[in-house]
Amino acid sequence: MLTNYFKFLGHQLKGWPQQNYYLFFFSLGCQVMTLANAPLTWLTIITFIGTTLGVLCVLAINAAKSVNGVLGILSAICFIIVGFNAKNYLSIGEQIAYMITLDIPVLLSANWNVNMASKIRQFNARSWLVAIIATGIVYLVSGYLIGQLTDDPRPWIDAISFSISLTAGVICFLRFNNQYFWWLASGIAQLVLWFISYRQGSATLAMAVNSSIYLINDIMAFTISPWYNQKERERLSAAEQAYAKEIGVE
């Protein structure tokens, strides 16, 4: 049974848009160069592992593949360590939120693990309103609490990234393609957060590089991802149906 699960995970790494693979190897090259130019410490190694797995995770979401659940949990553990070291405490909460609202549910959800591409949907006016209000409430509450209860040097910048990312994770799990408006905003917020953290000596440049790769992935999603590209969605759905027949699951 475990062998079959590993085969399933291997299948989930196949059939992505070609641009996703190109972006992964570009990211890997950037992170290797960043690692080579920095002092080799336990933190830089964990950062390298986390950023590599994290890029694979967001590319898997881009490709509507459920392997992001496993990759998300592993990368989150690394990012929690990095966030604690940088005193970006809400980035820790962000990773925990991802695991609770997206990664673990994806691992348990048939809607994600069986031909998810065929189940993509869009917001209506009410959904837009709820998502925007929820993001604002989380931003105000989290920014105030983290500023009052911790020594986070960037509470409101941290809160922007946290609130947008938390909402995006929930929207993603619910299979709305509108998530990418939130992921795009999250990518910009995280790029600013980790670049400031780097300039203030609280983190390595690798996290800022990682955020820029996330941002490129989010932009790509509006064009080549099955979340938005109808032709790619149909191709992926057909491939998933063929795979289901091959393994006897329909």
Side-chain angles (χ1 to χ4, degrees):
M1 187 173 181
L2 189 59
T3 301
N4 290 337
Y5 183 66
F6 282 121
K7 286 181 179 179
F8 168 76
L9 292 180
H11 167 73
Q12 291 293 312
L13 292 170
K14 300 175 183 177
W16 297 4
Q18 286 188 342
Q19 294 90 335
N20 289 37
Y21 295 114
Y22 299 154
L23 183 57
F24 170 70
F25 287 111
F26 172 74
S27 169
L28 183 62
C30 290
Q31 293 296 355
V32 168
M33 287 189 293
T34 303
L35 180 65
N37 288 325
L40 195 62
T41 65
W42 66 270
L43 185 62
T44 58
I45 293 172
I46 289 175
T47 302
F48 174 76
I49 295 171
T51 53
T52 302
L53 294 175
V55 168
L56 271 177
C57 176
V58 298
L59 289 173
I61 295 175
N62 181 311
K65 293 283 192 171
S66 63
V67 71
N68 75 284
V70 173
L71 295 170
I73 289 174
L74 295 176
S75 62
I77 294 171
C78 297
F79 288 149
I80 286 171
I81 296 171
V82 174
F84 181 79
N85 184 76
K87 295 184 179 179
N88 289 340
Y89 298 119
L90 277 178
S91 72
I92 298 173
E94 178 183 313
Q95 296 302 322
I96 294 173
Y98 282 156
M99 288 193 285
I100 294 173
T101 63
L102 182 58
D103 299 331
I104 293 174
V106 160
L107 290 175
L108 301 176
S109 172
N111 279 327
W112 263 86
N113 287 284
V114 178
N115 198 2
M116 206 291 296
S118 66
K119 302 160 187 170
I120 292 171
R121 49 188 180 157
Q122 294 181 317
F123 274 177
N124 55 30
R126 180 176 178 276
S127 304
W128 274 108
L129 184 62
V130 169
I132 291 171
I133 292 175
T135 304
I137 292 173
V138 173
Y139 168 66
L140 293 173
V141 172
S142 62
Y144 174 77
L145 289 178
I146 207 71
Q148 293 294 315
L149 301 177
T150 75
D151 59 347
D152 188 327
R154 299 164 290 272
W156 291 106
I157 297 175
D158 208 353
I160 292 173
S161 177
F162 174 74
S163 59
I164 297 172
S165 299
L166 175 62
T167 310
V170 174
I171 297 171
C172 179
F173 177 69
L174 295 175
R175 307 185 310 282
F176 289 107
N177 65 0
N178 309 80
Q179 64 180 285
Y180 275 98
F181 291 98
W182 270 258
W183 289 133
L184 183 62
S186 170
I188 295 171
Q190 289 190 37
L191 180 60
V192 172
L193 170 66
W194 287 108
F195 181 72
I196 292 174
S197 300
Y198 166 70
R199 290 295 299 270
Q200 293 179 350
S202 300
T204 69
L205 183 60
M207 289 300 292
V209 172
N210 186 65
S211 297
S212 67
I213 298 297
Y214 282 16
L215 192 57
I216 294 171
N217 170 73
D218 299 334
I219 294 170
M220 280 173 44
F222 288 103
T223 57
I224 56 99
S225 169
W227 291 96
Y228 279 93
N229 188 310
Q230 183 64 34
K231 185 176 179 180
E232 180 62 23
R233 188 183 308 176
E234 292 171 356
R235 182 198 68 79
L236 181 57
S237 294
E240 290 298 301
Q241 289 170 10
Y243 175 72
K245 289 181 181 179
E246 179 184 329
I247 63 174
V249 177
E250 297 189 60

Tab-separated table of all heavy atoms in Angstrom, residues 121-124 128 171 175-183 222 227-228:
chain	number	residue	atom	x	y	z
A	121	ARG	N	-13.420	26.133	-9.575
A	121	ARG	CA	-14.572	27.028	-9.674
A	121	ARG	C	-14.151	28.479	-9.465
A	121	ARG	O	-12.978	28.762	-9.189
A	121	ARG	CB	-15.645	26.625	-8.672
A	121	ARG	CG	-15.147	26.403	-7.248
A	121	ARG	CD	-16.233	25.827	-6.369
A	121	ARG	NE	-15.769	25.622	-5.016
A	121	ARG	CZ	-16.570	25.562	-3.960
A	121	ARG	NH1	-17.879	25.706	-4.113
A	121	ARG	NH2	-16.085	25.351	-2.753
A	122	GLN	N	-15.121	29.413	-9.584
A	122	GLN	CA	-14.834	30.840	-9.504
A	122	GLN	C	-15.709	31.519	-8.459
A	122	GLN	O	-16.799	31.045	-8.135
A	122	GLN	CB	-15.086	31.510	-10.868
A	122	GLN	CG	-14.135	31.068	-11.965
A	122	GLN	CD	-14.436	31.785	-13.268
A	122	GLN	OE1	-15.600	31.944	-13.651
A	122	GLN	NE2	-13.390	32.223	-13.957
A	123	PHE	N	-15.208	32.650	-7.954
A	123	PHE	CA	-15.964	33.461	-7.004
A	123	PHE	C	-17.222	34.051	-7.651
A	123	PHE	O	-17.234	34.363	-8.842
A	123	PHE	CB	-15.123	34.648	-6.528
A	123	PHE	CG	-14.229	34.354	-5.355
A	123	PHE	CD1	-13.373	35.343	-4.871
A	123	PHE	CD2	-14.232	33.134	-4.717
A	123	PHE	CE1	-12.551	35.113	-3.783
A	123	PHE	CE2	-13.414	32.889	-3.638
A	123	PHE	CZ	-12.570	33.878	-3.168
A	124	ASN	N	-18.241	34.270	-6.812
A	124	ASN	CA	-19.330	35.175	-7.173
A	124	ASN	C	-19.131	36.454	-6.352
A	124	ASN	O	-18.144	36.580	-5.612
A	124	ASN	CB	-20.702	34.533	-6.922
A	124	ASN	CG	-20.856	34.053	-5.470
A	124	ASN	OD1	-20.272	34.636	-4.548
A	124	ASN	ND2	-21.641	33.004	-5.266
A	128	TRP	N	-16.335	37.231	-3.189
A	128	TRP	CA	-15.330	38.303	-3.208
A	128	TRP	C	-15.420	39.128	-1.925
A	128	TRP	O	-14.397	39.419	-1.290
A	128	TRP	CB	-15.568	39.217	-4.411
A	128	TRP	CG	-14.926	38.774	-5.681
A	128	TRP	CD1	-15.538	38.267	-6.786
A	128	TRP	CD2	-13.525	38.818	-5.997
A	128	TRP	NE1	-14.612	37.982	-7.761
A	128	TRP	CE2	-13.375	38.318	-7.307
A	128	TRP	CE3	-12.398	39.235	-5.297
A	128	TRP	CZ2	-12.137	38.216	-7.928
A	128	TRP	CZ3	-11.150	39.133	-5.919
A	128	TRP	CH2	-11.023	38.636	-7.212
A	171	ILE	N	-8.926	29.785	0.365
A	171	ILE	CA	-9.527	29.888	-0.966
A	171	ILE	C	-9.019	28.773	-1.876
A	171	ILE	O	-9.785	28.184	-2.648
A	171	ILE	CB	-9.216	31.266	-1.592
A	171	ILE	CG1	-9.842	32.387	-0.771
A	171	ILE	CG2	-9.723	31.336	-3.032
A	171	ILE	CD1	-9.395	33.777	-1.191
A	175	ARG	N	-10.947	25.365	-3.762
A	175	ARG	CA	-10.831	25.138	-5.203
A	175	ARG	C	-11.310	26.328	-6.047
A	175	ARG	O	-11.755	26.161	-7.174
A	175	ARG	CB	-11.576	23.854	-5.628
A	175	ARG	CG	-11.175	22.628	-4.854
A	175	ARG	CD	-11.825	21.361	-5.381
A	175	ARG	NE	-13.265	21.461	-5.570
A	175	ARG	CZ	-14.164	21.386	-4.590
A	175	ARG	NH1	-13.766	21.213	-3.331
A	175	ARG	NH2	-15.455	21.474	-4.853
A	176	PHE	N	-11.180	27.540	-5.513
A	176	PHE	CA	-11.496	28.734	-6.287
A	176	PHE	C	-10.233	29.235	-6.980
A	176	PHE	O	-9.195	29.406	-6.332
A	176	PHE	CB	-12.036	29.849	-5.381
A	176	PHE	CG	-13.419	29.596	-4.848
A	176	PHE	CD1	-13.615	29.247	-3.515
A	176	PHE	CD2	-14.531	29.715	-5.676
A	176	PHE	CE1	-14.885	29.031	-3.011
A	176	PHE	CE2	-15.810	29.492	-5.176
A	176	PHE	CZ	-15.997	29.154	-3.856
A	177	ASN	N	-10.311	29.502	-8.286
A	177	ASN	CA	-9.121	29.990	-8.980
A	177	ASN	C	-8.769	31.420	-8.596
A	177	ASN	O	-7.643	31.878	-8.825
A	177	ASN	CB	-9.279	29.871	-10.497
A	177	ASN	CG	-10.378	30.745	-11.073
A	177	ASN	OD1	-11.065	31.464	-10.358
A	177	ASN	ND2	-10.553	30.682	-12.385
A	178	ASN	N	-9.707	32.136	-7.959
A	178	ASN	CA	-9.450	33.511	-7.515
A	178	ASN	C	-8.348	33.593	-6.464
A	178	ASN	O	-7.867	34.684	-6.144
A	178	ASN	CB	-10.730	34.120	-6.941
A	178	ASN	CG	-11.903	33.974	-7.881
A	178	ASN	OD1	-12.509	32.906	-7.947
A	178	ASN	ND2	-12.222	35.016	-8.633
A	179	GLN	N	-7.956	32.451	-5.933
A	179	GLN	CA	-6.843	32.406	-4.983
A	179	GLN	C	-5.619	33.145	-5.499
A	179	GLN	O	-4.844	33.708	-4.707
A	179	GLN	CB	-6.457	30.954	-4.711
A	179	GLN	CG	-5.933	30.239	-5.951
A	179	GLN	CD	-5.549	28.806	-5.730
A	179	GLN	OE1	-4.504	28.561	-5.141
A	179	GLN	NE2	-6.369	27.885	-6.188
A	180	TYR	N	-5.414	33.152	-6.827
A	180	TYR	CA	-4.173	33.711	-7.352
A	180	TYR	C	-4.093	35.225	-7.245
A	180	TYR	O	-3.002	35.789	-7.295
A	180	TYR	CB	-3.910	33.217	-8.781
A	180	TYR	CG	-3.216	31.870	-8.727
A	180	TYR	CD1	-3.926	30.693	-8.882
A	180	TYR	CD2	-1.859	31.800	-8.417
A	180	TYR	CE1	-3.292	29.468	-8.762
A	180	TYR	CE2	-1.222	30.583	-8.303
A	180	TYR	CZ	-1.940	29.421	-8.475
A	180	TYR	OH	-1.301	28.216	-8.338
A	181	PHE	N	-5.199	35.907	-7.068
A	181	PHE	CA	-5.127	37.333	-6.741
A	181	PHE	C	-4.517	37.500	-5.347
A	181	PHE	O	-3.733	38.420	-5.102
A	181	PHE	CB	-6.526	37.960	-6.799
A	181	PHE	CG	-7.094	38.050	-8.186
A	181	PHE	CD1	-7.987	37.099	-8.651
A	181	PHE	CD2	-6.714	39.083	-9.031
A	181	PHE	CE1	-8.505	37.178	-9.940
A	181	PHE	CE2	-7.219	39.173	-10.318
A	181	PHE	CZ	-8.124	38.218	-10.775
A	182	TRP	N	-4.871	36.598	-4.443
A	182	TRP	CA	-4.306	36.615	-3.086
A	182	TRP	C	-2.862	36.135	-3.086
A	182	TRP	O	-2.018	36.723	-2.424
A	182	TRP	CB	-5.172	35.755	-2.157
A	182	TRP	CG	-6.262	36.526	-1.489
A	182	TRP	CD1	-6.276	36.989	-0.205
A	182	TRP	CD2	-7.509	36.938	-2.067
A	182	TRP	NE1	-7.449	37.656	0.052
A	182	TRP	CE2	-8.232	37.645	-1.062
A	182	TRP	CE3	-8.103	36.779	-3.322
A	182	TRP	CZ2	-9.491	38.183	-1.290
A	182	TRP	CZ3	-9.360	37.317	-3.546
A	182	TRP	CH2	-10.034	38.010	-2.547
A	183	TRP	N	-2.566	35.071	-3.833
A	183	TRP	CA	-1.178	34.595	-3.883
A	183	TRP	C	-0.257	35.669	-4.458
A	183	TRP	O	0.882	35.849	-4.003
A	183	TRP	CB	-1.066	33.337	-4.734
A	183	TRP	CG	-1.654	32.078	-4.163
A	183	TRP	CD1	-2.471	31.194	-4.808
A	183	TRP	CD2	-1.453	31.512	-2.847
A	183	TRP	NE1	-2.802	30.140	-3.985
A	183	TRP	CE2	-2.199	30.320	-2.782
A	183	TRP	CE3	-0.733	31.931	-1.729
A	183	TRP	CZ2	-2.235	29.512	-1.638
A	183	TRP	CZ3	-0.767	31.142	-0.586
A	183	TRP	CH2	-1.505	29.952	-0.540
A	222	PHE	N	-1.837	32.851	-14.122
A	222	PHE	CA	-2.929	33.495	-14.852
A	222	PHE	C	-2.926	33.160	-16.343
A	222	PHE	O	-3.892	33.464	-17.048
A	222	PHE	CB	-2.847	35.016	-14.673
A	222	PHE	CG	-3.229	35.486	-13.295
A	222	PHE	CD1	-2.260	35.862	-12.376
A	222	PHE	CD2	-4.565	35.543	-12.912
A	222	PHE	CE1	-2.605	36.291	-11.107
A	222	PHE	CE2	-4.928	35.975	-11.637
A	222	PHE	CZ	-3.944	36.347	-10.732
A	227	TRP	N	-5.793	26.349	-13.514
A	227	TRP	CA	-6.725	27.176	-12.734
A	227	TRP	C	-7.363	28.245	-13.617
A	227	TRP	O	-8.491	28.682	-13.371
A	227	TRP	CB	-6.014	27.841	-11.569
A	227	TRP	CG	-5.576	26.895	-10.498
A	227	TRP	CD1	-4.345	26.331	-10.361
A	227	TRP	CD2	-6.363	26.396	-9.403
A	227	TRP	NE1	-4.309	25.505	-9.251
A	227	TRP	CE2	-5.536	25.532	-8.651
A	227	TRP	CE3	-7.676	26.597	-8.991
A	227	TRP	CZ2	-5.980	24.866	-7.506
A	227	TRP	CZ3	-8.131	25.940	-7.859
A	227	TRP	CH2	-7.286	25.091	-7.124
A	228	TYR	N	-6.632	28.712	-14.654
A	228	TYR	CA	-7.143	29.760	-15.529
A	228	TYR	C	-7.161	29.369	-17.007
A	228	TYR	O	-7.967	29.901	-17.767
A	228	TYR	CB	-6.300	31.044	-15.361
A	228	TYR	CG	-6.701	31.841	-14.152
A	228	TYR	CD1	-6.052	31.663	-12.938
A	228	TYR	CD2	-7.743	32.753	-14.212
A	228	TYR	CE1	-6.438	32.380	-11.813
A	228	TYR	CE2	-8.133	33.476	-13.098
A	228	TYR	CZ	-7.478	33.284	-11.897
A	228	TYR	OH	-7.867	33.988	-10.783
